[in-house]
Amino acid sequence: MLDIKEFEKNLWSLISLLRDRTGSERAVRSVFGFIWLKMLARKTRLKDDPIPVTASPSPRRHCLLREETEYLSERYPHIPFDEILISAESICQNESIFVDTALEYLEGVINSVEKAEIRKTAYSIYDLMTKTFEETNRHGLALLPQLFIDIMVGVLEYDPEMVVYDPAFGYGRPFRYLSERSGNRPVRIAGQEIDREICILTRVIMEVLDVCSEGLVCGDTLGSPIHTKGYSVKQFDRVVCEPPMGMRLGREDLESDSYMRFIYGIPRTGEWAFIEHGISSLKKNGKLVASIQNGALIRELADGIIRQNLVKHDLVEAVIQLPSLPSNLSVPASSILILNRDKQESRKGSVLMISISGTALDKELSGSSLAELALDTYSKWEDIDGLSRIVSFSEMETHGFSLLPSAYIMQIPSSKEEAKLVKAISKLPGVRIGEIAEVSSGTDKRRLKTTTEKGSAFKVHVLKISDIEGNGELNLEKAETIYIEDRDEVERIQLYPGDIVLSAKGTVDKVAMVREYGEGIIVAIGANLIRIRVDQGRYPARALYELLRSEYGRSLLTQISTGTVLRGLSVRNVENIKIPIVDEKRFLEYRKAAEKLRKKISDLEAEIAKLTEAEREQFSNLFLPEEGVSQNRKRDGN
């Protein structure tokens, strides 16, 4: 029996023969498809359904193919030269070919190798194939990190008696890992894939891995589902899905869907469309696990309606938010959504939110350790500081039915003292900011009716994010000035003493408090700023300001910020921030003590400024004539 390494060497030699030297993604897939189909599948039923191949090549490519054929012919005399050359040219001409003579040698090798060795080789080639896909694709697509697949398969709760369905199975990665974990037990699968080359290729791979591929079909799942039963789609025990990212959909086709799959809302993106299709494909006790971009978990309008209906129908069981991995920056920040038609009684009316933050990466946890952490947290189903929370439907409603875990889970600082403070504050009875204050957003100056006539006009300082200083002051000198004739024009965005200003885009933890700037000075907030006007009779504005500037406040603002690339705050999210109720007596004591300390700080800063100026004078005296130094000494009394 020949060594398995010899088998691999011959296999890759044939790939070299058929490889497209231009690096075409389609050609790479065709090569893999041809090799797998002929060498590993050995299924005669696939011969009537050949793999699409590349277009007719240039004369240069003909020369390259002939050169490689000559090389192979010398190295492997078992393969007739003419047969290989004719096969290569036939592929170049888009013809369907299955040349038994040219591949007889390798098929003999396969038949002489033990089954376990073939599976081992199949796995290594499979991994290389998916890597090749990522490196050669030209559509900006990227496969999810392996961490996602491990967690998705782990929470699926699969049993060998079940059938697992994937409406966009691609390379069938969940199927592969199910086959690894099930041992010698057969894995029953079904699915649909729009890319014909990948579809046929994956069917062949599943056969090699002893996974029955009869349920895998090629076609457009959303437009023409094939797994149907009458006027409905077929239903399965489990659905696992890695929906394509960035797909935009037309509304008309989905509204007129004859299978009634989009009853929870008409999706505008492929992610929610595939998830809704997956829900329609679930049995009464079925479970769905899908990857989803974080943006789809917080966007309003169409996405918000779908999320609201899924929550109110008690289908959402858990969401696991994972950090962006440094090795997969091409994949947008994503989470894992778990839907269950048969939730345990104790889990009904709530959703388990799990947020694994970047601090887990800082601790250098491996991918397998992160997967174990996520699966262990999901199985425990309890509140864990900084990691998980059981969130009620009513709380989700105040957050616009956001399903992003970080919107509900306070990240605990690494400092022990700060962590102690954050935990203590979070346990106090609280009130929403919207209940004690008016929250509003700024506006673009272009929306205001300005004038160039400065005589009778009002001068307005329009603030931007960079005008918020690190010490909580507003720098009016840097603010842009405009002139308006009607003061009511800026009333909605005008600031008064005691107002709190927040940066609402990018750096979301800048906070300032408006003080008295002098009579007649008008200050207003521009775009990307939010104003909080506290009802002083219900809550001390200074306490809220200091709270938002604290470590706890920064954690709060980061927690409620949304956006996958550029983080931002919305008025609604700020209104929903829960803040601790302040004891009035303790606040007055704090205010007196704080004012004394601030006075000391101010005096020290003034003294430091004076000493710094004196130091500069001493330095300048080093280079001044002696009479200049004497005058300086007379002036400062020395």
Side-chain angles (χ1 to χ4, degrees):
M1 185 177 88
L2 291 176
D3 191 288
I4 189 66
K5 292 183 178 179
E6 184 69 11
F7 159 65
E8 290 181 296
K9 183 170 66 176
N10 284 284
L11 186 60
W12 292 115
S13 293
L14 276 184
I15 289 178
S16 177
L17 166 69
L18 301 175
R19 185 180 61 241
D20 182 346
R21 288 301 182 89
T22 65
S24 164
E25 174 192 352
R26 186 177 179 188
V28 171
R29 293 181 184 176
S30 299
V31 167
F32 277 113
F34 179 81
I35 296 299
W36 276 99
L37 180 65
K38 189 59 190 173
M39 245 69 62
L40 302 179
R42 291 173 291 159
K43 294 289 183 179
T44 56
R45 62 184 175 80
L46 291 178
K47 290 187 178 183
D48 298 328
D49 197 6
I51 296 172
V53 291
T54 56
S56 297
S58 63
R60 173 60 180 158
R61 185 178 171 203
H62 276 298
C63 295
L64 291 171
L65 285 171
R66 188 175 184 88
E67 289 172 6
E68 291 202 19
T69 306
E70 290 174 349
Y71 167 77
L72 278 177
S73 182
E74 291 177 4
R75 189 165 183 178
Y76 307 114
H78 305 81
I79 307 177
F81 173 82
D82 291 341
E83 288 287 351
I84 293 180
L85 184 59
I86 292 171
S87 300
E89 291 175 345
S90 298
I91 287 179
C92 293
Q93 295 168 6
N94 262 353
E95 294 181 7
S96 171
I97 59 160
F98 293 92
V99 184
D100 294 331
T101 308
L103 303 175
E104 182 179 352
Y105 171 71
L106 288 181
E107 287 191 345
V109 173
I110 290 174
N111 291 328
S112 66
V113 175
E114 293 180 2
K115 183 177 179 180
E117 289 296 324
I118 288 183
R119 284 176 65 89
K120 180 180 177 182
T121 303
Y123 282 137
S124 65
I125 295 175
Y126 176 88
D127 292 337
L128 181 59
M129 179 187 63
T130 54
K131 182 180 179 181
T132 301
F133 165 76
E134 286 195 280
E135 291 177 349
T136 60
N137 87 85
R138 299 180 180 180
H139 306 294
L141 302 175
L143 297 175
L144 278 176
Q146 182 58 45
L147 171 64
F148 279 75
I149 304 300
D150 291 341
I151 296 175
M152 289 167 69
V153 173
V155 301
L156 201 60
E157 297 179 337
Y158 170 75
D159 184 276
E161 299 300 318
M162 298 176 178
V163 179
V164 180
Y165 171 69
D166 189 337
F169 61 78
Y171 286 107
R173 293 199 296 164
F175 298 154
R176 174 211 162 145
Y177 291 102
L178 280 173
S179 73
E180 282 183 334
R181 298 183 182 192
S182 61
N184 295 323
R185 296 178 295 180
V187 177
R188 302 166 64 196
I189 61 174
Q192 194 165 340
E193 170 57 44
I194 195 170
D195 189 309
R196 188 175 182 79
E197 294 175 6
I198 294 180
C199 175
I200 295 176
L201 186 57
T202 302
R203 285 164 59 180
V204 174
I205 294 170
M206 291 303 111
E207 290 293 342
V208 175
L209 302 180
D210 290 333
V211 178
C212 180
S213 66
E214 291 182 1
L216 302 182
V217 294
C218 307
D220 181 359
T221 302
L222 298 181
S224 303
I226 297 176
H227 293 284
T228 58
K229 188 176 182 180
Y231 294 103
S232 303
V233 293
K234 284 185 180 178
Q235 295 183 330
F236 302 90
D237 304 286
R238 294 288 184 266
V239 174
V240 61
C241 185
E242 183 183 337
M245 298 179 181
M247 179 189 292
R248 305 297 296 179
L249 303 173
R251 187 178 183 87
E252 293 181 2
D253 294 337
L254 301 183
E255 285 179 330
S256 58
D257 177 57
S258 57
Y259 298 99
M260 299 293 289
R261 291 172 291 175
F262 309 110
I263 60 175
Y264 300 103
I266 304 300
R268 301 302 300 274
T269 62
E271 288 174 291
W272 284 116
F274 275 97
I275 289 172
E276 285 201 77
H277 168 85
I279 296 172
S280 299
S281 304
L282 277 180
K283 292 182 177 179
K284 291 182 178 180
N285 60 344
K287 188 174 186 178
L288 178 150
V289 181
S291 62
I292 186 167
Q293 287 188 59
N294 289 345
L297 297 175
I298 57 179
R299 282 193 295 263
E300 298 182 354
L301 301 176
D303 289 359
I305 292 172
I306 294 171
R307 294 195 307 269
Q308 176 178 332
N309 287 326
L310 293 181
V311 168
K312 289 189 172 181
H313 283 81
D314 216 349
L315 290 174
V316 185
E317 183 173 62
V319 186
I320 302 174
Q321 182 180 350
L322 296 168
S324 297
L325 303 178
S327 57
N328 291 85
L329 295 177
S330 57
V331 179
S334 302
S335 299
I336 295 172
L337 178 67
I338 304 167
L339 305 179
N340 198 340
R341 284 193 180 275
D342 190 26
K343 289 172 71 172
Q344 297 179 22
E345 196 65 34
S346 60
R347 299 182 178 184
K348 290 183 178 179
S350 62
V351 175
L352 178 66
M353 298 290 182
I354 301 173
S355 178
I356 300 177
S357 66
T359 54
L361 294 179
D362 296 337
K363 295 177 182 178
E364 297 183 352
L365 289 177
S366 63
S368 59
S369 299
L370 287 174
E372 290 175 9
L373 175 62
L375 294 174
D376 183 58
T377 306
Y378 171 72
S379 64
K380 286 180 178 177
W381 198 272
E382 61 185 16
D383 290 348
I384 303 175
D385 286 342
L387 182 61
S388 64
R389 267 196 68 206
I390 300 172
V391 184
S392 66
F393 291 175
S394 57
E395 184 177 352
M396 277 186 276
E397 186 171 10
T398 64
H399 285 75
F401 291 97
S402 166
L403 289 179
L404 189 64
S406 59
Y408 304 94
I409 299 171
M410 175 71 69
Q411 295 302 316
I412 305 299
S414 55
S415 166
K416 289 184 178 180
E417 287 192 4
E418 292 175 348
K420 183 179 179 181
L421 176 64
V422 167
K423 290 179 182 179
I425 294 176
S426 62
K427 293 177 181 178
L428 294 173
V431 62
R432 291 172 53 249
I433 286 181
E435 296 175 33
I436 54 93
E438 173 198 327
V439 184
S440 59
S441 59
T443 189
D444 194 306
K445 66 170 187 175
R446 290 173 294 184
R447 297 185 179 182
L448 302 174
K449 296 178 182 178
T450 59
T451 180
T452 56
E453 299 293 332
K454 301 180 181 179
S456 59
F458 295 97
K459 181 180 179 181
V460 180
H461 299 271
V462 181
L463 298 171
K464 50 188 179 296
I465 291 177
S466 60
D467 297 329
I468 301 178
E469 303 285 356
N471 60 359
E473 289 289 327
L474 295 173
N475 192 331
L476 300 192
E477 293 180 2
K478 294 182 180 179
E480 186 174 2
T481 58
I482 61 173
Y483 292 86
I484 59 168
E485 293 181 348
D486 184 2
R487 183 162 180 169
D488 292 339
E489 182 76 12
V490 294
E491 179 59 35
R492 190 183 69 83
I493 57 173
Q494 186 172 348
L495 295 172
Y496 292 96
D499 285 351
I500 298 170
V501 181
L502 304 178
S503 57
K505 195 172 185 180
T507 306
V508 295
D509 58 355
K510 280 192 167 187
V511 185
M513 190 167 190
V514 182
R515 56 182 175 81
E516 185 64 61
Y517 295 108
E519 189 175 352
I521 296 180
I522 303 174
V523 185
I525 51 172
N528 302 325
L529 293 174
I530 287 177
R531 178 189 69 188
I532 302 176
R533 181 163 294 162
V534 182
D535 182 346
Q536 298 280 11
R538 306 188 66 184
Y539 203 93
R542 187 81 199 184
L544 178 58
Y545 165 69
E546 296 291 355
L547 180 72
L548 293 176
R549 278 175 52 83
S550 68
E551 184 67 34
Y552 178 79
R554 285 194 289 270
S555 297
L556 272 177
L557 295 173
T558 302
Q559 177 184 340
I560 66 162
S561 63
T562 59
T564 54
V565 179
L566 193 64
R567 306 297 289 179
L569 297 175
S570 69
V571 169
R572 182 170 186 173
N573 284 354
V574 172
E575 288 177 334
N576 288 324
I577 292 178
K578 188 178 179 182
I579 56 174
I581 297 174
V582 177
D583 180 86
E584 189 173 349
K585 182 180 178 181
R586 292 182 66 180
F587 174 69
L588 289 175
E589 292 173 354
Y590 152 78
R591 188 170 183 176
K592 288 179 182 178
E595 285 177 355
K596 288 180 180 179
L597 291 172
R598 273 195 294 271
K599 179 67 168 57
K600 288 183 179 180
I601 292 171
S602 180
D603 292 343
L604 288 172
E605 288 175 344
E607 182 65 22
I608 290 171
K610 185 178 179 182
L611 292 172
T612 303
E613 180 60 30
E615 182 186 27
R616 287 199 198 99
E617 266 192 27
Q618 291 299 320
F619 177 74
S620 63
N621 289 342
L622 179 64
F623 302 98
L624 289 174
E626 190 65 32
E627 59 272 16
V629 174
S630 299
Q631 291 298 323
N632 279 342
R633 284 175 177 169
K634 288 179 182 179
R635 194 163 47 242
D636 61 20
N638 295 324

